Amino acid sequence: MFNRIVLFSCFLFVYGSSISQTVISGTAKGAEGRTVKVLTVADYITHKPLYLACDTISKDGEFYLDFNITNSCSVKLEIDYYQTFVYAVPGMRISLDFLAFDYHLAEKVNCFWESEQIPDLMYAVSYSDSSFFLFKNDSGYLTKMNRYRLAKYEEATGKMNRKALFENYIESVPFSLNNDYFVEFVGDFFNNYFSRFSGKFLLNTTIDNLLDTMGIDPFLRNEMLREYICIKMLYQYVLSVPAHAQAVVMARVKSLLKALSDKTKFNELSRIIDNVLNEWSSVKSFKSMILKDFNGQNILFENLLKDFDAPYFYVGFISANNILCPDCLTETDVLLRIPEKNYKDSVKVILINVDDEFMTYYHDYRTFSSKKSKIPYLYFNRQISLMRSLDAVHFPCYFLLDRTGVILQSDFAKPSDGLESRRPFCRRQQDGQN
């Protein structure tokens, strides 16, 4: 596991919050041909990534990103699996030179990490526009950031009780979604707020009754704050219920959120509700994934599925690095020992290599093909953003898909986890056992 690399940077800001083009340019030597992206989040409830701009790093290691923002904020920069952040202000011009970094680290360690294990990029920073000034002349963003860092410290050390924290850091300022540190603090302050209500109440109440009940709390007299916490806690409540009850609970919570969207006078909250409802209604699918075969030919995943007459697909993502991912080899060997005749009419197996370099897959394919398996083995073609969005963030990992590529179950059973006894592999028990 890697410790996070400490980011070296300067924070520079300007006055104003009007929409203005912001530019981040610079160099990333060693990342030539890779894609650099700048993003923020659509809201601090779903944390849906909102990509603002992207660029392919040139053969000279240079990149240029321009985008519009309405207020000072922290934005992330991504190069493949790796990321860092920088503070930006409308109209700001920032020049970054990323320091030396091994962009093949994924090949040597792990193609996907849990987020806390991914090393941060480092950069040196300079500002090409001399009209920007240092900390004391900023737009107030740094002051707000430090204020809520102090609030977290005072909360953690018990220097302030809950009432004093609320009065000093929430009630005393206008409620706004434009400062990420403030919104994060508010979310933490009211975390698990609905645990005080019974599930029966939440599933049978109306939105007016729910808001009125919350309004009895002296901490939630502010209308916008109360409605924001209502949205956040309903979202959190759905995620907290057992999987078998989630469909029923989600349907009821959707109706509450739609009712709130119809009645709220705050457009920002309506947009957040739209994000929540879109997340819950969106279908996660691999059908748009573009793979490569052994000959380097691109294959659309959707077209690949059409080549096989099977109601289900079992898709495994594996690495060829047997030292750093021994489970990949072990699980594949177990999978190959399961007789295809046991499941061929009900499920088709596909294996996909997720190593950074195509040639790593190319050489491993030769070894795989010598085993004379009929299982297709393809290369993921560095579809990193898609893999992240579909929760394929570690390997080996396995998914059960329908015939169109829609995910029926992520984190499905590994071959060694009794796969032969799971539907749809076990035809004899399809009606009696999962």
Side-chain angles (χ1 to χ4, degrees):
M1 179 183 296
F2 286 82
N3 293 323
R4 284 196 170 274
I5 300 172
V6 178
L7 176 68
F8 169 74
S9 63
C10 284
F11 307 146
L12 290 85
F13 294 90
V14 293
Y15 293 104
S17 60
S18 60
I19 296 178
S20 183
Q21 188 178 60
T22 300
V23 174
I24 301 178
S25 61
T27 60
K29 298 292 186 181
E32 295 83 358
R34 297 174 186 263
T35 301
V36 57
K37 301 177 182 179
V38 60
L39 67 148
T40 182
V41 294
D43 63 79
Y44 286 90
I45 292 179
T46 65
H47 289 90
K48 177 184 177 182
L50 180 63
Y51 287 91
L52 304 174
C54 67
D55 190 25
T56 300
I57 299 169
S58 74
K59 63 181 180 179
D60 297 321
E62 298 177 348
F63 64 89
Y64 184 93
L65 301 162
D66 63 285
F67 53 95
N68 292 323
I69 51 177
T70 59
N71 53 273
S72 303
C73 62
S74 168
V75 296
K76 287 183 180 179
L77 293 170
E78 282 185 355
I79 301 178
D80 291 349
Y81 315 102
Y82 317 103
Q83 62 183 212
T84 187
F85 69 92
V86 65
Y87 294 100
V89 168
M92 195 177 203
R93 298 185 67 85
I94 309 170
S95 178
L96 301 178
D97 293 318
F98 284 100
L99 305 185
F101 189 81
D102 184 0
Y103 291 93
H104 292 280
L105 192 62
E107 186 82 351
K108 299 173 182 178
V109 182
N110 194 325
C111 202
F112 295 97
W113 289 275
E114 299 301 328
S115 59
E116 66 272 9
Q117 294 177 282
I118 302 175
D120 285 333
L121 296 171
M122 296 175 65
Y123 59 78
V125 60
S126 61
Y127 289 81
S128 56
D129 190 333
S130 60
S131 67
F132 297 109
F133 304 97
L134 286 172
F135 301 95
K136 64 181 180 180
N137 293 322
D138 70 35
S139 62
Y141 183 87
L142 279 176
T143 302
K144 294 175 184 176
M145 177 186 73
N146 289 328
R147 174 176 170 79
Y148 287 98
R149 283 180 171 173
L150 176 62
K152 287 189 173 184
Y153 169 77
E154 291 180 326
E155 181 179 29
T157 58
K159 289 195 171 185
M160 275 194 182
N161 61 32
R162 185 171 174 81
K163 183 174 183 293
L165 283 167
F166 175 78
E167 291 173 346
N168 281 274
Y169 294 108
I170 298 178
E171 188 178 41
S172 64
V173 298
F175 183 79
S176 171
L177 299 175
N178 289 333
N179 183 274
D180 41 3
Y181 287 92
F182 169 75
V183 175
E184 183 182 1
F185 179 78
V186 167
D188 290 343
F189 186 86
F190 290 99
N191 191 42
N192 290 317
Y193 185 83
F194 280 2
S195 62
R196 66 187 65 191
F197 300 143
S198 69
K200 184 177 181 181
F201 169 76
L202 291 172
L203 294 179
N204 291 281
T205 191
T206 64
I207 192 63
D208 288 330
N209 188 37
L210 179 56
L211 290 172
D212 287 345
T213 303
M214 295 173 67
I216 297 172
D217 188 336
F219 290 172
L220 289 174
R221 288 172 181 161
N222 180 291
E223 184 180 9
M224 188 176 185
L225 171 61
R226 181 166 66 251
E227 291 185 1
Y228 177 78
I229 295 303
C230 182
I231 298 167
K232 185 174 180 66
M233 293 304 110
L234 286 172
Y235 180 81
Q236 193 177 73
Y237 178 62
V238 168
L239 298 180
S240 70
V241 298
H244 65 83
Q246 200 165 68
V248 174
V249 172
M250 185 181 290
R252 180 60 190 140
V253 169
K254 281 182 178 179
S255 67
L256 290 172
L257 289 174
K258 288 176 182 177
L260 177 54
S261 182
D262 290 339
K263 76 179 285 300
T264 186
K265 58 189 179 187
F266 306 108
N267 292 332
E268 306 99 307
L269 300 186
S270 291
R271 287 193 290 270
I272 293 175
I273 292 173
D274 287 343
N275 290 340
V276 172
L277 296 177
N278 288 337
E279 178 183 308
W280 286 346
S281 62
S282 62
V283 175
K284 290 190 174 184
S285 172
F286 280 102
K287 69 179 182 179
S288 64
M289 190 174 195
I290 301 173
L291 305 168
K292 277 189 184 297
D293 65 12
F294 174 72
N295 297 311
Q297 297 297 310
N298 287 343
I299 298 175
L300 181 64
F301 199 101
E302 185 178 23
N303 292 338
L304 176 67
L305 301 184
K306 292 176 182 177
D307 292 339
F308 304 106
D309 184 19
Y312 300 100
F313 289 84
Y314 178 74
V315 180
F317 294 91
I318 61 173
S319 167
N321 193 318
N322 300 330
I323 297 175
L324 296 170
C325 186
D327 284 351
C328 291
L329 176 62
T330 301
E331 295 294 345
T332 300
D333 286 344
V334 173
L335 179 63
L336 295 181
R337 288 198 297 269
I338 301 175
E340 186 185 16
K341 64 181 181 180
N342 290 0
Y343 60 81
K344 68 177 182 178
D345 294 332
S346 56
V347 60
K348 181 66 180 178
V349 177
I350 298 173
L351 290 177
I352 299 174
N353 176 279
V354 293
D355 287 306
D356 195 49
E357 294 292 337
F358 174 79
M359 292 308 296
T360 304
Y361 154 76
Y362 181 89
H363 293 299
D364 191 57
Y365 179 89
R366 291 181 175 274
T367 302
F368 182 84
S369 61
S370 68
K371 299 176 182 178
K372 302 189 183 304
S373 170
K374 295 181 180 179
I375 296 174
Y377 182 34
L378 302 159
Y379 179 61
F380 88 133
N381 206 14
R382 307 194 80 256
Q383 304 275 281
I384 298 166
S385 295
L386 178 62
M387 296 280 283
R388 285 189 186 279
S389 70
L390 297 176
D391 301 321
V393 293
H394 60 88
F395 65 84
C397 61
Y398 301 88
F399 290 76
L400 186 67
L401 315 181
D402 71 8
R403 64 172 70 245
T404 68
V406 170
I407 297 173
L408 299 176
Q409 188 172 338
S410 58
D411 199 22
F412 197 68
K414 298 177 183 178
S416 63
D417 289 340
L419 184 63
E420 289 181 271
S421 65
R422 299 284 297 269
R423 289 187 298 175
F425 279 84
C426 184
R427 298 169 58 197
R428 297 186 304 275
Q429 301 180 32
Q430 281 188 13
D431 296 324
Q433 183 177 343
N434 287 328

